[in-house]
Amino acid sequence: MRAVCVIGLGLIGGSILRAATAAGRQAWGATASAADEAAAAADGYAVEDVAAALRRAAAEDALVVLAVPLPSVVSVLRTVAEHAPRARLTDAVSVKQPVIDAVSHHAPFARYVGGHPMAGAAASGWAAGSSTLFHGAAWVVSAVDGTDIEVWSDVARLALDAGAHVVATDPAEHDAAVARISHLPHVLAAVLAAVGADAGPLPLALAAGSFGDGTRVAGSNPELVRAMCEGNGAALLPVLDDALGRLGAARGALASTGSLAATLREGHRGRRQLDGARAAEVRELRLDLTAPDAMAALRRTGTVGGRIVAIDTSTLTAEIPTCDHFRSP
Amino acid sequence: MRAVCVIGLGLIGGSILRAATAAGRQAWGATASAADEAAAAADGYAVEDVAAALRRAAAEDALVVLAVPLPSVVSVLRTVAEHAPRARLTDAVSVKQPVIDAVSHHAPFARYVGGHPMAGAAASGWAAGSSTLFHGAAWVVSAVDGTDIEVWSDVARLALDAGAHVVATDPAEHDAAVARISHLPHVLAAVLAAVGADAGPLPLALAAGSFGDGTRVAGSNPELVRAMCEGNGAALLPVLDDALGRLGAARGALASTGSLAATLREGHRGRRQLDGARAAEVRELRLDLTAPDAMAALRRTGTVGGRIVAIDTSTLTAEIPTCDHFRSP
């Protein structure tokens, strides 16, 4: 099993280091945070300074995982270029195209395959992590033509070892998707929390489940949320426009006809589609990673909502939804 | 303990009937739903037809609770006017001013005090209810000048018997508050669910906690949500405008400066205020229900986020937040 070097030991990086270690791999980490460094070392994990960790990764041909917020990516990539220029490299950043651009500028010889484990928690930092954070979660691995198949497999195996399933996507398709289901929810939660808290104590005294659920992620560290959402600004803008259009249509319908029927019906259908997608029957698909069009075939599995659940030498097993769960229930 | 007659045996009415019975009261119900009627009877509860239930309420001077959706209120009030015209009357409808108007038109001699237990669940109908649904919940009781103190106490005692605490409010203030913390969350959840589901299977395959939480209430029965939100349309419109303004400001800031700092900071502050309100230290306040300005004093306790936790003959005990939890943390 390939060794793993994790740069950044917050919630995500700290959980990756724990999960890789728990899977029996050689794994070590580094972080610019003195607090996370001390906490990880106190828990018995191998922590070095960033340059040393990367030199060791180069010497041992380890997979380097960048688990830092987007604003820190460029400076870490410069260090990668200095100490492990041809590293097997992936990341855990919540947006993919800006990281691809940064790698091509600042670590152009790195063998990079983008990653994004879709798990989180309201709390942040090493102490909030766990080896089981990714159990049952989706872990996106970018599938781009010309990708080094060996590194792609390294990343996918790490995700599977961590208990996740792999979703193979085109980076732009990923960024558009997470704008919808991760970044928009954070913006709407912030708007809802501000509207609810802006009219004195009574509304908050009456707040129950719908407000609590709808504002939960507004409790997350706002600087981390900001880096995540702003880093995907190009994909988030049209999604905000979509939401504004729908909210404006709801407002207009309520004002003119007194009806919210269309808004609530479409929302209910959307939520049932989410439930349907999670409960969908699947068929198994086997893919040969060494086929010339392997990356295109992988991207297609992601587009249709499929997930990769096993990898065996050069053959992948994907689960593809079979029933027509995506149609209106 | 005063007997209780519950009209409507869905989630809320069914839970009130169970809670009143569990508290040792004489309690019976009626419903236009054959399914709910059969389910309640099968569970051993006393169920009659609506007219008979109301005649019994008149004979026993029971408290009548209307637990039907707003669109059904007028027709039930006409039956109340026919069979129990001077009944002690409350309701569990999620909006108050329209019910006040309907009572004054259709059951003008009823001794009405508005109520709104702030609890719910994604499922609906008798089977979804429980005697503990209101434990720890807020149960709004309208405090309007000229209210019959005895009936006000009847309603408050029922709420306390059900394990809730009472929040005394002006009806218009209630309607404005629930537009913010109950009806807006449903509209935003519908918008989010539709945006998330409208771009094919990939976004839903990647959806994790933030999307799941933010769309949960979109899984509720859309007809019930519609009746609730549309019934409070007058108060909901300015709240939708508030949300549209904030979402538009977020969009504008992201497009022009690339920053979502203000939006996310205000949202985080709002969520912390919710958490602060729930954890606030309180002082006890005793109020004499027979004082000439009792209703005004009760409304003030609601406005500042207070809750009534006990009632003893004509003296109430309210808990009033003392620390400055509502300021920015």
Side-chain angles (χ1 to χ4, degrees):
Chain A
M1 289 195 293
R2 190 168 303 285
V4 175
C5 165
V6 184
I7 309 296
L9 296 176
L11 171 71
I12 300 297
S15 297
I16 294 172
L17 180 56
R18 289 178 179 95
T21 305
R25 294 182 184 234
Q26 285 290 324
W28 60 95
T31 173
S33 157
D36 286 341
E37 180 174 2
D43 284 350
Y45 289 87
V47 188
E48 314 190 21
D49 73 49
V50 176
L54 289 168
R55 282 194 301 269
R56 181 174 168 195
E60 301 189 22
D61 200 15
L63 175 64
V64 176
V65 184
L66 303 189
V68 298
L70 183 63
S72 304
V73 162
V74 166
S75 95
V76 175
L77 284 174
R78 289 190 178 125
T79 316
V80 169
E82 186 179 349
H83 297 286
R86 297 191 52 78
R88 299 166 188 264
L89 183 68
T90 187
D91 70 308
V93 178
S94 56
V95 62
K96 296 277 58 79
Q97 194 59 52
V99 181
I100 291 173
D101 297 343
V103 171
S104 69
H105 280 85
H106 300 287
F109 302 111
R111 288 171 288 164
Y112 172 68
V113 174
H116 179 202
M118 305 290 299
S124 52
W126 170 273
S130 89
S131 64
T132 60
L133 182 69
F134 309 110
H135 281 196
W139 188 314
V140 170
V141 182
S142 291
V144 177
D145 290 339
T147 293
D148 182 324
I149 297 292
E150 204 180 282
V151 180
W152 201 95
S153 300
D154 288 337
V155 179
R157 281 178 217 273
L158 174 63
L160 296 173
D161 275 2
H165 56 267
V166 170
V167 178
T169 71
D170 173 78
E173 203 181 350
H174 163 275
D175 292 354
V178 295
R180 284 178 191 267
I181 52 80
S182 174
H183 305 158
L184 178 63
H186 277 91
V187 175
L188 290 182
V191 166
L192 178 58
V195 171
D198 210 37
L202 177 63
L204 294 184
L206 299 183
S210 64
F211 189 76
D213 285 352
T215 60
R216 185 186 61 84
V217 293
S220 304
N221 180 333
E223 290 307 313
L224 292 180
V225 175
R226 192 183 158 191
M228 178 176 80
C229 293
E230 293 175 0
N232 199 24
L236 182 54
L237 267 179
V239 171
L240 285 177
D241 285 334
D242 189 349
L244 275 165
R246 289 173 196 268
L247 189 59
R251 195 268 178 220
L254 184 63
S256 60
T257 69
S259 174
L260 288 167
T263 299
L264 296 171
R265 196 173 52 229
E266 284 164 28
H268 187 64
R269 193 183 58 210
R271 174 68 199 195
R272 288 190 62 179
Q273 285 174 341
L274 175 68
D275 298 336
R278 289 175 171 178
E281 299 278 318
V282 296
R283 67 183 168 88
E284 280 205 352
L285 178 73
R286 290 185 164 265
L287 286 175
D288 178 3
L289 260 185
T290 63
D293 63 346
M295 287 293 138
L298 283 171
R299 289 194 296 270
R300 279 195 295 276
T301 68
T303 300
V304 299
R307 47 171 61 183
I308 292 147
V309 295
I311 178 166
D312 175 16
T313 319
S314 65
T315 305
L316 295 180
T317 304
E319 292 179 349
I320 309 293
T322 51
C323 68
D324 202 6
H325 72 277
F326 201 74
R327 295 282 170 82
S328 174
Chain B
M1 289 194 293
R2 190 167 302 285
V4 175
C5 165
V6 184
I7 309 296
L9 296 175
L11 171 71
I12 300 297
S15 296
I16 293 172
L17 181 57
R18 289 180 180 93
T21 304
R25 295 183 184 233
Q26 285 290 323
W28 60 94
T31 173
S33 157
D36 287 341
E37 181 175 1
D43 284 350
Y45 289 87
V47 187
E48 314 190 21
D49 73 50
V50 175
L54 289 168
R55 283 194 299 269
R56 181 175 167 195
E60 301 189 21
D61 201 16
L63 175 64
V64 176
V65 184
L66 303 190
V68 298
L70 183 63
S72 304
V73 161
V74 166
S75 95
V76 175
L77 284 174
R78 289 189 177 126
T79 316
V80 169
E82 186 179 348
H83 297 287
R86 296 191 52 78
R88 299 167 189 263
L89 183 68
T90 187
D91 70 307
V93 178
S94 55
V95 62
K96 296 279 58 76
Q97 194 59 52
V99 181
I100 291 173
D101 296 343
V103 171
S104 69
H105 280 83
H106 300 287
F109 303 110
R111 288 172 287 164
Y112 171 68
V113 174
H116 180 200
M118 305 289 301
S124 53
W126 170 273
S130 90
S131 64
T132 60
L133 183 69
F134 310 109
H135 280 196
W139 188 314
V140 170
V141 182
S142 290
V144 177
D145 291 339
T147 293
D148 182 325
I149 297 292
E150 205 180 281
V151 181
W152 201 95
S153 300
D154 288 337
V155 179
R157 282 178 217 273
L158 174 63
L160 296 173
D161 275 3
H165 56 267
V166 171
V167 178
T169 71
D170 172 78
E173 204 181 350
H174 164 275
D175 291 354
V178 294
R180 283 177 192 269
I181 52 80
S182 174
H183 305 158
L184 178 62
H186 278 90
V187 175
L188 290 182
V191 166
L192 178 58
V195 171
D198 211 36
L202 177 63
L204 294 185
L206 299 183
S210 64
F211 189 76
D213 285 353
T215 61
R216 186 186 60 83
V217 293
S220 305
N221 181 332
E223 290 307 312
L224 293 179
V225 175
R226 193 182 157 192
M228 178 176 80
C229 293
E230 293 175 1
N232 199 24
L236 182 54
L237 267 179
V239 171
L240 286 177
D241 285 335
D242 189 349
L244 275 164
R246 289 173 196 267
L247 189 58
R251 195 269 179 220
L254 184 64
S256 60
T257 69
S259 174
L260 288 167
T263 299
L264 296 171
R265 195 173 52 228
E266 285 165 28
H268 187 65
R269 193 182 59 209
R271 174 68 199 194
R272 288 190 63 177
Q273 285 174 341
L274 176 69
D275 298 336
R278 289 175 170 176
E281 298 279 317
V282 296
R283 67 184 168 87
E284 279 204 354
L285 178 73
R286 290 184 165 264
L287 285 175
D288 177 3
L289 259 186
T290 64
D293 64 346
M295 287 293 138
L298 283 171
R299 290 194 296 270
R300 279 194 296 276
T301 67
T303 300
V304 299
R307 46 171 61 183
I308 291 147
V309 295
I311 178 166
D312 175 15
T313 320
S314 65
T315 305
L316 296 179
T317 304
E319 291 179 350
I320 309 293
T322 51
C323 68
D324 203 5
H325 72 279
F326 202 74
R327 294 282 171 82
S328 175

